[in-house]
Amino acid sequence: MTANPRLQFVQNFLGQVLGVQPIVVNGRNAAVFELYCYFKKVEWFIRRGKTIRVNNAVSGVFRPNLGPSASLAGSYISLTEPYTATFDLILNGQFRGKSGADHSPDITLIESDTELILSIYECKLHALYLNLRYCREFLGFLNELRVPNQKYISATRNLYPELRSSIFTSASKPMSALQMQNEYDFDIVDKL
Amino acid sequence: MENETDDFFENAFSMIYEKLTSEEKTEFNEELSGEGLTYKTLTSKHRFLSLLRFIEVKYVMMTKWIEGISKSLAIIGDSHKGEFNLTDIVFTDAVQNEVSFRELEEQRHKLGGLASSLRQLLEQLGLEADYQSYLRSLGFTSKEEYER
């Protein structure tokens, strides 16, 4: 109990924070944010007429990779449509880069037959501004994983031109991040 | 009076900050450094508001994402007429504990309660306008962003 009544208000709030801390710690909030971005992307495909198939779910339980793992090791969703290629949307799959190093984007869209990477998505759970270093890291991913130009993909794979590789973030994007996304053809979906 | 106010914000900040996990403290300081700031260079009031924002995003907003996942699953299920039937999503956290999404759904009202507590705290401290102004400075322009 504190003598200052204003500090007592803070103390009461802190009690609430500590009460829910076990729900969010150990990266659980980041995992939930990643799943939120993943299923929003699946929903995005559903709204555009894709049919989905759930892979590697046992007894109806979806067990995604939430750490780097072989690309198709955990549960993932395939997106199909008559007369077009099937795509897989994978959480934390591991893919070999140009340099020979392995990388695990948070979410990767690949063509099922060829495993060609079409788009990647990174989920950044931050509170204030999106740090530019995450944009630089993202550009490294795009280059290392040979993510093709989106105009090429939309022309050759019947995908939607707006389906760009993206950073999803709960933070706000600063103006300099906006300049980078325009220059390098990726999206930053912020304030999620 | 000015010093009293500064003391209040410093004490209030320390009270909450000291209870964050070491990982959260690191994340918070990294976020500030992304703004070219450190918590030592901010005014005590700005630092306190930054910490409240950090708590809001890292704790309270999980409610929105849990509900968003539930809605997405319902939309996917509706579009597949019973062929899509996920009973749960299970993942392992950073210390290898298994976490059930269905259990998180049941606990989300506690996080929602924290949202009310945050609003109440801002009212009690007379900081609602300052917090709104702080959010606007971060680029959150609408009232809805704060009230989500």
Side-chain angles (χ1 to χ4, degrees), chain B:
Chain B
M1 183 62 189
E2 187 63 31
N3 283 342
E4 259 180 52
T5 307
D6 283 350
D7 283 351
F8 165 74
F9 285 119
E10 275 174 28
N11 289 334
F13 174 87
S14 298
M15 194 181 267
I16 297 175
Y17 181 80
E18 289 311 319
K19 295 292 183 185
L20 296 181
T21 64
S22 57
E23 189 181 54
E24 287 172 329
K25 285 177 186 168
T26 304
E27 284 177 17
F28 178 69
N29 288 305
E30 277 181 3
E31 292 231 19
L32 290 182
S33 68
E35 286 189 85
L37 302 165
T38 68
Y39 79 80
K40 288 181 181 166
T41 61
L42 294 174
T43 65
S44 54
K45 186 179 190 178
H46 188 152
R47 195 170 59 174
F48 180 64
L49 293 175
S50 301
L51 185 58
L52 292 183
R53 171 65 184 164
F54 182 81
I55 296 285
E56 184 184 23
V57 172
K58 299 284 179 171
Y59 285 63
V60 174
M61 284 179 60
M62 222 169 117
T63 318
K64 174 189 162 186
W65 302 324
I66 289 169
E67 287 169 1
I69 293 168
S70 301
K71 278 184 195 160
S72 292
L73 293 178
I75 288 167
I76 297 166
D78 287 349
S79 70
H80 285 68
K81 306 208 169 24
E83 289 173 25
F84 174 84
N85 187 23
L86 285 186
T87 53
D88 201 357
I89 302 167
V90 173
F91 60 90
T92 49
D93 67 13
V95 292
Q96 299 304 307
N97 286 322
E98 284 208 335
V99 181
S100 153
F101 177 72
R102 295 298 180 208
E103 284 173 20
L104 287 178
E105 268 187 316
E106 286 170 17
Q107 292 173 316
R108 74 179 183 277
H109 67 277
K110 292 183 188 169
L111 298 163
L114 186 60
S116 310
S117 300
L118 175 59
R119 275 195 292 273
Q120 188 182 24
L121 177 68
L122 291 168
E123 281 169 21
Q124 287 167 331
L125 299 179
L127 287 174
E128 296 151 290
D130 291 303
Y131 192 66
Q132 291 279 1
S133 168
Y134 174 69
L135 290 183
R136 278 196 295 277
S137 76
L138 291 176
F140 293 88
T141 51
S142 70
K143 196 163 181 286
E144 287 73 25
E145 292 290 353
Y146 165 59
E147 288 182 343
R148 71 187 160 257

